[in-house]
Amino acid sequence: MTPRILVLSILDPRGEHGLAAAVRTAHVLGVEAIPVPTGILLDSGGKRPRLQKLRAGLVGDAVEAAIEKPLDGMLIGLLPSYWQARAVARVLSKRLPETMVYAPLSVTPGTRPWLGARNWTKQAATILPEATTVVLPSGAGAELLLGTADADPSATAAAVLDAGAHSAWLLGESISGRGVDFVAHGSQSGVLDYPTGPEQPLKVLPAALAALLAKGLPLVEAIERAHRFARGVGSPEYAAAVGR
């Protein structure tokens, strides 16, 4: 039976980020993705895209309907409003999927302005603690959790775990053609040091992790395979897999 995951994020009509990229990633990895849009990116004539948020009641009802059937996993991306966060948290308080990846900053560009203080406070208190893995860019994650983008990744990861999440994956910025991620779960931690390419792994990595966890892979193996998958996006093999 094909594993099923529920995916919440915004819809980018260009298909580069958010819901479309996540659904495509799950499909490539052999997992059925049930999409629930939380907003739609609208072109603003070359300026930062404008976001049309969907009504919180619609988002909450869609999640509640989807979760009535067995789910193997869930990916929560950008919830751009406090009311959406409250509606989703209410549903999750009744029933949780087997695994959940939480990646609130996985949509680029310009995610942070749509994640205001009140919204983030609600998500940090109700959604983050339920996550199997929290995936964040290292600097932006540190700013969200610790108030400074210069905090050490280990301190940011500790804040994620202290909040109740099972594990944290902090994505480092590319420096001189290499990237260093920090991963922590329980009392264990480690780094992923790798050559970086032109693609932005954040747009597919959380979905890859959610799909692999839904397929029953252990956390460490799922992280390693999701990492390799994200690095391969844009390769001829990936293009063949998605039918391009």
Side-chain angles (χ1 to χ4, degrees):
M1 187 174 181
T2 302
R4 302 169 69 246
I5 63 171
L6 180 62
V7 180
L8 279 71
S9 192
I10 65 173
L11 179 61
D12 175 5
R14 298 166 298 181
E16 296 178 2
H17 305 282
L19 204 56
V23 170
R24 185 167 60 244
T25 296
H27 173 73
V28 171
L29 291 170
V31 173
E32 178 186 357
I34 303 166
V36 174
T38 59
I40 303 173
L41 278 179
L42 302 174
D43 190 5
S44 296
K47 300 178 182 178
R48 186 171 70 87
R50 180 167 60 90
L51 178 63
Q52 179 66 52
K53 304 173 186 178
L54 269 66
R55 286 200 303 114
L58 293 176
V59 174
D61 289 347
V63 173
E64 190 156 20
I67 215 165
E68 286 181 357
K69 294 184 178 180
L71 287 172
D72 301 289
M74 185 173 184
L75 168 61
I76 297 182
L78 177 59
L79 299 175
S81 83
Y82 164 85
W83 298 105
Q84 287 181 1
R86 195 175 81 158
V88 171
R90 185 184 301 119
V91 177
L92 295 180
S93 69
K94 302 175 186 176
R95 183 182 302 176
L96 283 170
E98 292 292 325
T99 59
M100 187 176 82
V101 174
Y102 177 51
L105 296 178
S106 59
V107 178
T108 55
T111 298
R112 184 63 195 276
W114 296 317
L115 194 64
R118 186 182 183 213
N119 183 8
W120 168 243
T121 298
K122 182 65 176 180
Q123 293 189 41
T126 58
I127 296 175
L128 186 152
E130 305 295 350
T132 305
T133 305
V134 176
V135 181
L136 289 168
S138 186
E143 188 176 355
L144 271 180
L145 288 152
L146 301 175
T148 172
D150 297 325
D152 189 271
S154 61
T156 307
V160 171
L161 301 186
D162 288 346
H166 179 65
S167 58
W169 186 349
L170 303 176
L171 310 179
E173 295 182 1
S174 176
I175 301 176
S176 300
R178 298 198 68 81
V180 178
D181 298 352
F182 186 85
V183 179
H185 59 100
S187 61
Q188 300 180 335
S189 63
V191 297
L192 296 169
D193 186 345
Y194 53 95
T196 57
E199 293 289 332
Q200 296 177 336
L202 186 58
K203 68 183 183 182
V204 300
L205 192 150
L209 179 59
L212 293 166
L213 289 173
K215 295 177 78 169
L217 271 68
L219 177 64
V220 173
E221 183 180 352
I223 286 175
E224 291 175 349
R225 287 188 56 181
H227 176 257
R228 292 198 301 271
F229 177 87
R231 284 179 55 196
V233 171
S235 68
E237 294 78 11
Y238 178 85
V242 297
R244 293 179 182 175

